Amino acid sequence: MRARVLIRPKEGILDPQGQTVERALPALGFDGVSDVRIGRLVELDVPDIAEVEAMCEKLLANPLVEDYEVVSVE
Amino acid sequence: MTRFGVIRFPGSCDEVDALQACERYGDAELLWHRERGLRDIDAVIVPGGFSYGDYLRPGAIARFAPIMEAVADFAREGGRVLGICNGFQVLCEAGLLPGALLGNDHLRFRCRQVEVVVENVDTAFTRACAREERLSVPGKHTTGRYFAPPAMLEELEANGQVVFRYAPGQNPNGSLNDIAGVANEAGNVVGLMPHPEHAVNPLCSSADGGKLFASAALEPVPA
Amino acid sequence: MNPVASQAPHRSLGLTDAEYELICEKLGREPNPLELAVFSLMWSEHCGYKHSRKLLKLLPTEGPHVVMGPGENAGAVDVGDGLAIAFKVESHNHPSAVEPFQGAATGVGGILRDVFAIGARPIAILDSLRFGELDTARSRYLLDHAVAGIGHYGNSIGVATVGGEIYFEGPYEQNCLVNAMCLGLAPKDKMIRSAAAGVGNVIVLMGALTGRDGIGGASVLASAELDEDEDKRPTVQIGDPFEEKKLLESSLELLDRGLLTSLQDLGAAGLTSSSSEMASKGEVGIEIDIDQVPLREADMEPFEVMISESQERMLCVVEPERLDEVFTVCSKWDVRATAIGTVTDTRRLRVLADGEVVGDMPVEALVDDCPVYDLDPVEPSEPVYPAPAAKLDGRESPGDLLLALLASPNIASKRWAFEQYDWIVGSRTTRRPEEAEAAILMLELDGASGAIAVSIDGNGRRVACDPYTGAVEAVLECARNLACVGAEPLGLTNCLNFGNPEKPHIAWQLTRAVEGLRDACLAVEAPVVGGNVSLYNEGGGGPIYPTPVVGMVGKLPDPTMVPWSGFREPGHAIALVGPFEPSLAGSELEKLAGTLSTELPAIDVDRHAAALVAIRDAVRSGVVATAHDVSEGGLACAVAECAIAAGIGARVDLGEDFALFGEGPGGVLLAASPEAIEKLAEPLQPHGFRVIGRTGGDRVDIKAGVATLSVPVAAAQEAHGGSLPSRFE
């Protein structure tokens, strides 16, 4: 099975990358963009989808500062 | 004679610097990441660099190196452990120190001499310092912004676990409360972002960093 | 002509019809596609040095300290105590113009490999960068990403970036320059060469998987003029410093244990050039089995495997009995190592795939018989370059001019850039960027005495004014920087960055510049131990300024007695020493005024060389607190720069008219206690010596006849320090 995990900084944590992108977009002609957050995508083939959450807790994400979401399974 | 052990991970960069700094205050040797024991080491240094290329998150993979199990046991038993820069990141990922290091608020790698104020002189690595003493040391990192969730941060401050704070106006990365380094509750595990191993020779601008190694070489306080 | 536009396959690979005929002659038949690809790369300008090889023979390469001269992966000089410093500078211009982060990063990666390929542990990096004016978004983008790329690679691999230079000039807008220099430390008699040896020995490929990176990179990008086509992006190599760190440690351990017969890094043209060159130097043959090469993509064709420029790979020759030990060491460092071929006595490069011979070429034809062309130099009768855009209106006071110059990007502080580099790893750096005229690396931790000084310098615009004199000045600038820290030159490396050498006026620039380098190297006794040539740096907008970049390494006996670039205390006497004859020709002020001279005042190079020895001795006496050479912006800027460092002002009176912003070689500012300066008068008088003022106060006050300026030190600091950061807010 192919799992796709999205990892993003927790709400309330300063995301300077997201802010920089948010500031850069208007200069390129894109207005009205707000609340940009930048995270990470991990894709993996796994034998048992139930294990993916444990992988996130243990390695793929740092639960102190990141949220994760298993967004699709093919 | 205090025996220092400096861990070498694939990608460590400052381990030889740390080794040479330790050798000014005791005996020192390198510990290969695949070893499972610490032999008869008195103090462990987890050095700076880019272990495992900083892949996934800095320190995220190094924390699972075989030697880190021994380091965790050693720390739990009160052994002296110092994490420098990437080493600090490894210790936070391993849960041996509270909090996490995030990307610098200005998004770049920044290499700059900074002054840190010593706030806690009861740790294994600050016993040779005076309270409120300023140490001049170089900091060089992309991911050095210290973070802890509000409740944890409050507890840290209340417990005196903040060991080093950037001097006013010198916070190079946006760390909360200007925190440059912290300790565990017992004070035997310390981590900091700046590099004391690069500040042991006045010819390289400061010898203030030597005090951390000198502290570790003092006789341990009886339990 | 854009080679891609034409029909015949050899032409689309950058070979002329005559070259194709020659290949057929050497082979005794027509080449098959793989052989054609191999020849096209080995006979490209980048690999074959077709237009520069003859000229480079002019350069002096011998000296008492030379341990390894040109021809190997890097050159090396003896620094005493059984140690040698290996060093070289290389360019990565075309890839950086296309993808500046990876271009600059892999440029650093490549030069690092050249240094550890001869068994030296890299200890320092310097970079010399040139972009268009910072007014354009493109130049800011290139600068930003190139600096980030250099930092990314150098910092991650743990080698200190200790110095460099950055210039901004219109002619570099389409063709930026990224030159990276590396120094490494090795026991003098344990360095290894790249000649393959031992028929029957095994060829082992170490490091990263081989993919399609940079396919055609060498001949498509480096031997042709860049046009608007941005599609070159997929052929740029991607670097992985972690992979290289493992490869570096593994290679050094293999060498330490004496397990290798020879070692070569894979750079431009990958397996093709490495194997050909190893075989050529060793006068042997090499057989490569494509099926053994570990690939990143499954369906790669044999020719792609041969010309891939995937990074972080090395080739070594190993005796069969030592193969297991080699694999054990590589495995310890988690470095892939695979036997992919053998050394033969056929003097041919044979490539096998699927058990069949898919390429069979004589090594001599690939390497030694690469055509070498004569240049056809003709001094241009018309200006080659447009005048720079004027930024001044002619009504500025001397004080206004000083602040304008301090803020101009060529002169302004580069702190914005060098704070993105780790300049301390290794703990050898005793003078950091902008602390002294040269970077200083002490050798105490390596069990040796003294310290190494290194500087990298060049000024393309001045070489454009006068290629011969400009090139002489570049070497003198380096030597002057070394003298200011008390270092004796040991050797030099150079990168020649020029336009299209097939054009007579460019050929003239190249020829005159090399003649200038030769004469200056002889005068300061700094032999050339290696270098690099980057040609065809031109596009629709015209050629770059002719830019010879010089990197010089020196030794000084006592790192505790090195002066600083800035004033240290108020009350010090300031002296201007050396045969300095300021002229506005080729100066930054002339540029801001919108002019480009077509000649520079002649130089008596021996007189300058003698002055440098005297200055070096004065510095070595230990009494000098400040030593700062006069370069861009002239004397006024030099004094201001000294004041800016520690915020200590100065009061200077030349007593007569003086071109305060005039430039030229030879001038050094020294500051020390008045007693010390007085004692230096005697030895320095024959070379030019005048006391011009005192340090102190919070202003920079300079008087020269009727011209006066008085600028607060704080304003100078703001102009100098705030300029680059303000471009990136």
Side-chain angles (χ1 to χ4, degrees), chain C residues 295-350:
Chain C
L295 301 176
R296 203 165 72 222
E297 291 173 68
D299 55 351
M300 286 178 67
E301 295 189 50
F303 90 89
E304 291 182 309
V305 178
M306 284 303 290
I307 69 175
S308 159
E309 289 182 350
S310 293
Q311 298 292 291
E312 292 97 27
R313 297 177 300 159
M314 306 281 278
L315 212 58
C316 60
V317 175
V318 184
E319 288 166 7
E321 318 81 69
R322 321 227 65 178
L323 210 47
D324 280 338
E325 283 173 272
V326 168
F327 289 147
T328 301
V329 172
C330 290
S331 167
K332 166 187 169 187
W333 288 102
D334 201 24
V335 169
R336 204 173 282 107
T338 319
I340 65 162
T342 37
V343 177
T344 66
D345 60 1
T346 63
R347 313 261 348 240
R348 297 182 76 86
L349 172 63
R350 280 178 24 126

Side-chain angles (χ1 to χ4, degrees), chain C residues 55-69:
Chain C
L55 201 52
L56 291 177
K57 290 204 206 298
L58 288 181
L59 297 173
T61 60
E62 290 176 8
H65 311 283
V66 176
V67 173
M68 203 177 272

Side-chain angles (χ1 to χ4, degrees), chain B residues 17 108 111-113 140 198, chain C residues 144 419 422 426-427 432:
Chain B
D17 301 71
R108 294 179 195 278
C111 183
R112 194 183 270 187
Q113 195 82 2
K140 47 174 202 175
H198 291 321
Chain C
D144 197 2
E419 280 195 339
D422 177 350
S427 301
R432 304 166 178 188

Side-chain angles (χ1 to χ4, degrees), chain C residues 46 70 118-119 129 141 167 225 253 267 271 285 297 327 337 370 418 437 491 517 558 570 588 593 613 632 689 720:
Chain C
H46 192 83
I118 67 168
L129 312 176
Y141 162 77
Y167 282 92
E225 301 174 15
E253 186 170 329
L271 270 177
E297 291 173 68
F327 289 147
C370 173
F418 69 72
E437 297 307 287
L517 289 181
D558 189 348
E588 290 293 321
V613 175
E632 284 88 20
F689 177 94
H720 185 253

Side-chain angles (χ1 to χ4, degrees), chain C residues 430-659:
Chain C
T430 65
R431 287 288 184 270
R432 304 166 178 188
E434 283 185 7
E435 285 189 341
E437 297 307 287
I440 311 274
L441 297 150
M442 66 173 182
L443 296 174
E444 185 189 307
L445 296 168
D446 304 290
S449 64
I452 299 300
V454 55
S455 183
I456 191 165
D457 294 285
N459 189 320
R461 201 182 66 253
R462 292 181 73 85
V463 179
C465 295
D466 185 330
Y468 176 84
T469 304
V472 169
E473 287 184 357
V475 174
L476 289 181
E477 166 96 38
C478 257
R480 198 161 64 250
N481 285 333
L482 259 52
C484 282
V485 298
E488 179 200 346
L490 298 175
L492 180 157
T493 179
N494 64 282
C495 186
L496 302 176
N497 303 276
F498 286 73
N500 181 343
E502 297 168 56
K503 298 185 179 170
H505 58 280
I506 304 292
W508 175 78
Q509 290 176 341
L510 186 55
T511 306
R512 292 299 282 148
V514 171
E515 288 167 355
L517 289 181
R518 171 198 58 199
D519 293 346
C521 286
L522 287 169
V524 303
E525 295 177 54
V528 177
V529 300
N532 185 241
V533 178
S534 170
L535 300 176
Y536 297 93
N537 292 288
E538 60 184 271
I544 55 167
Y545 285 147
T547 316
V549 167
V550 172
M552 197 181 285
V553 172
K555 175 98 191 274
L556 55 116
D558 189 348
T560 65
M561 302 221 286
V562 175
W564 301 77
S565 288
F567 295 139
R568 302 296 288 170
E569 281 176 44
H572 274 182
I574 306 168
L576 172 63
V577 309
F580 180 53
E581 283 158 25
S583 155
L584 285 176
S587 68
E588 290 293 321
L589 183 58
E590 177 187 84
K591 174 188 171 183
L592 291 185
T595 310
L596 185 68
S597 286
T598 51
E599 61 178 6
L600 297 174
I603 297 173
D604 176 351
V605 72
D606 292 316
R607 188 169 160 231
H608 282 264
L612 291 179
V613 175
I615 291 169
R616 178 208 313 162
D617 288 341
V619 167
R620 284 189 178 187
S621 73
V623 304
V624 175
T626 303
H628 184 42
D629 94 306
V630 180
S631 57
E632 284 88 20
L635 180 68
C637 281
V639 173
E641 285 164 349
C642 288
I644 283 166
I648 298 171
R651 191 171 253 119
V652 164
D653 188 347
L654 278 310
E656 60 188 8
D657 284 340
F658 192 93

Side-chain angles (χ1 to χ4, degrees), chain C residues 219-240:
Chain C
S219 69
V220 171
L221 289 182
S223 299
E225 301 174 15
L226 270 180
D227 48 30
E228 303 288 331
D229 192 356
E230 295 241 25
D231 262 326
K232 302 283 196 287
R233 198 175 288 248
T235 66
V236 171
Q237 315 94 318
I238 305 294
D240 179 354

